[in-house]
Amino acid sequence: MIYSDDLLAVAKRIFWFGTPEEALEFPKRFLTYAMTYASDQDIDILRKYFSDDDFKATLDDPAPGIFNRSSWAKWNERYNRTPVPPLPKRQFRASIPLLSPISFHPSLETAT
């Protein structure tokens, strides 16, 4: 996909650990980073490419673990979502069975 220079520049500033193209590949994740780290000038540029509905959809189902408390509150208040809902939390699922605590066989213990 071909992106404008100003959008790529914003993506580069916000998504510093990857390429701008990688950032824009997943719009919801990108907007979550933008809503957390972008400057007001960056947001003005992003509004040319993303609608209020896009920003609201990001609040409805944000990429996990990116929002901080202040940005979460700011964006929810901006869209009149008060009281501000709790900050989303990452959900961790065990991918391997949990092991029982290690127990030692009595015959392996030494007397002191």
Side-chain angles (χ1 to χ4, degrees), residues 18-39:
T19 68
E21 293 80 10
E22 289 170 336
L24 295 165
E25 185 176 346
F26 300 100
K28 182 172 53 172
R29 179 187 67 180
F30 173 68
L31 282 179
T32 305
Y33 276 104
M35 293 165 79
T36 304
Y37 298 111
S39 68

Side-chain angles (χ1 to χ4, degrees), residues 13-80:
R13 282 191 294 276
I14 295 168
F15 201 77
W16 61 91
F17 48 88
T19 68
E21 293 80 10
E22 289 170 336
L24 295 165
E25 185 176 346
F26 300 100
K28 182 172 53 172
R29 179 187 67 180
F30 173 68
L31 282 179
T32 305
Y33 276 104
M35 293 165 79
T36 304
Y37 298 111
S39 68
D40 290 340
Q41 294 81 14
D42 290 337
I43 294 297
D44 289 341
I45 292 168
L46 294 178
R47 289 195 174 283
K48 293 191 274 184
Y49 303 97
F50 296 96
S51 69
D52 276 337
D53 287 341
D54 294 325
F55 285 92
K56 289 175 186 177
T58 299
L59 287 175
D60 289 338
D61 186 28
I66 299 170
F67 270 113
N68 58 39
R69 288 186 193 281
S70 62
S71 59
W72 179 249
K74 170 186 161 182
W75 283 95
N76 276 282
E77 289 168 1
R78 177 177 285 187
Y79 289 111
N80 299 314

Side-chain angles (χ1 to χ4, degrees), residues 66-105:
I66 299 170
F67 270 113
N68 58 39
R69 288 186 193 281
S70 62
S71 59
W72 179 249
K74 170 186 161 182
W75 283 95
N76 276 282
E77 289 168 1
R78 177 177 285 187
Y79 289 111
N80 299 314
R81 294 174 180 216
T82 54
V84 173
L87 187 65
K89 294 181 181 179
R90 279 189 191 193
Q91 298 294 319
F92 292 99
R93 294 182 204 139
S95 58
I96 58 172
L98 297 176
L99 302 175
S100 62
I102 297 174
S103 61
F104 294 96
H105 192 276

